[in-house]
Amino acid sequence: MAISGFQTLMRPALQTLADGGELRVQTIRDVLAREFGLTEAELEQRLRSGTTKTYANRVAWTLSHMKGAGLIESPRAASTGSPNAAARRCPRPATAIASISAASVSS
């Protein structure tokens, strides 16, 4: 499967966070990659600039947009200071998933 745009990852990402617990970004990426059946080659694919892996970039944008919309939060950063290690959680999963569902129906 080709790597989709970040919008396609929003609902699965919210469902991954639906239990309200904290997950590290790497864990979210791993779960979504399995769910979408991405191959090792797809996971290693880089953006045209060559600086970032496409899939990691899409997940980062997904989480960024969801955080900006108030659907998820970053309750704490990892002690390493790496943004990839920061935890994410969804404080109101049912409301968040419903809002993503409504947005995808109206577009």
Side-chain angles (χ1 to χ4, degrees):
M1 169 185 184
I3 298 172
S4 301
F6 73 89
Q7 300 91 333
T8 306
L9 299 172
M10 285 186 170
R11 184 190 305 237
L14 282 172
Q15 290 169 328
T16 300
L17 292 163
D19 70 357
E22 293 180 10
L23 291 177
R24 297 203 177 276
V25 174
Q26 183 60 54
T27 303
I28 297 167
R29 282 197 303 250
D30 293 346
V31 169
L32 295 176
R34 279 193 305 275
E35 186 172 324
F36 282 94
L38 298 178
T39 65
E40 201 59 41
E42 289 169 326
L43 294 173
E44 293 300 318
Q45 178 184 336
R46 294 192 172 269
L47 296 172
R48 275 184 251 154
S49 66
T51 59
T52 306
K53 293 180 182 176
T54 302
Y55 175 67
N57 177 271
R58 300 281 161 73
V59 173
W61 277 111
T62 298
L63 298 174
S64 176
H65 282 281
M66 290 191 315
K67 184 177 178 184
L71 300 175
I72 64 171
E73 53 190 33
S74 303
R76 62 186 172 87
S79 58
T80 63
S82 168
N84 290 332
R88 300 289 191 274
R89 70 184 184 102
C90 182
R92 297 174 309 284
T95 304
I97 291 170
S99 70
I100 291 292
S101 297
S104 63
V105 169
S106 65
S107 52

